[in-house]
Amino acid sequence: MTNLLLILIGVLLNAGAQLVLKKGMSQIGTVQVDINAILTMILKVSTNLYVWTGLMFYVISFLVWLMVLSRVEVSYAYPFLSIGYIIAAIVGYFYFGESMTLSKVGGIAIICIGVFLLYRS
């Protein structure tokens, strides 16, 4: 049970990192691919609390994931990362106003079934 809890904490931190990075980049805006825009983005990123929070979530997630990999087989642990797709899709829909199509719902259902089958094995 401890291993599953560590896996879920790692997954939640990883998904949380993506979501707060999205929030931060939404505040910063679209970045063009030219040197001046990239330098401006670096300056804005360096002062954005959401981006820093996302980076911290990634660091903690990485440390938790190292603990997971020291305890369980990677073929068991790694597929649980797909739960992050589910979290991102749901939060994206409700918080960021992103689309939720029938295809996305079907994909989420398939992911849920796959993770359930892995957990039972």
Side-chain angles (χ1 to χ4, degrees):
M1 189 60 161
T2 301
N3 293 337
L4 181 60
L5 183 61
L6 283 172
I7 290 170
L8 294 176
I9 289 169
V11 167
L12 289 173
L13 284 166
N14 192 292
Q18 285 294 316
L19 294 166
V20 294
L21 286 172
K22 169 65 177 168
K23 175 69 175 172
M25 291 310 295
S26 294
Q27 291 178 341
I28 291 170
T30 304
V31 179
Q32 302 302 317
V33 184
D34 68 70
I35 192 68
N36 290 331
I38 292 171
L39 292 173
T40 301
M41 185 231 8
I42 290 171
L43 180 63
K44 290 179 180 179
V45 162
S46 68
T47 60
N48 187 286
L49 181 61
Y50 289 104
V51 172
W52 281 103
T53 302
L55 291 174
M56 288 305 300
F57 281 4
Y58 268 136
V59 168
I60 297 167
S61 170
F62 175 75
L63 295 173
V64 170
W65 202 250
L66 290 177
M67 289 191 307
V68 167
L69 293 176
S70 75
R71 296 164 177 247
V72 300
E73 295 178 359
V74 70
S75 62
Y76 175 78
Y78 191 70
F80 279 91
L81 288 175
S82 61
I83 294 171
Y85 302 142
I86 299 166
I87 295 166
I90 292 169
V91 173
Y93 175 76
F94 286 107
Y95 187 70
F96 294 115
E98 297 177 356
S99 67
M100 181 61 72
T101 64
L102 189 57
S103 294
K104 285 183 183 178
V105 172
I108 288 169
I110 291 169
I111 291 170
C112 290
I113 292 167
V115 170
F116 174 75
L117 291 173
L118 282 167
Y119 174 71
R120 291 190 40 121
S121 69

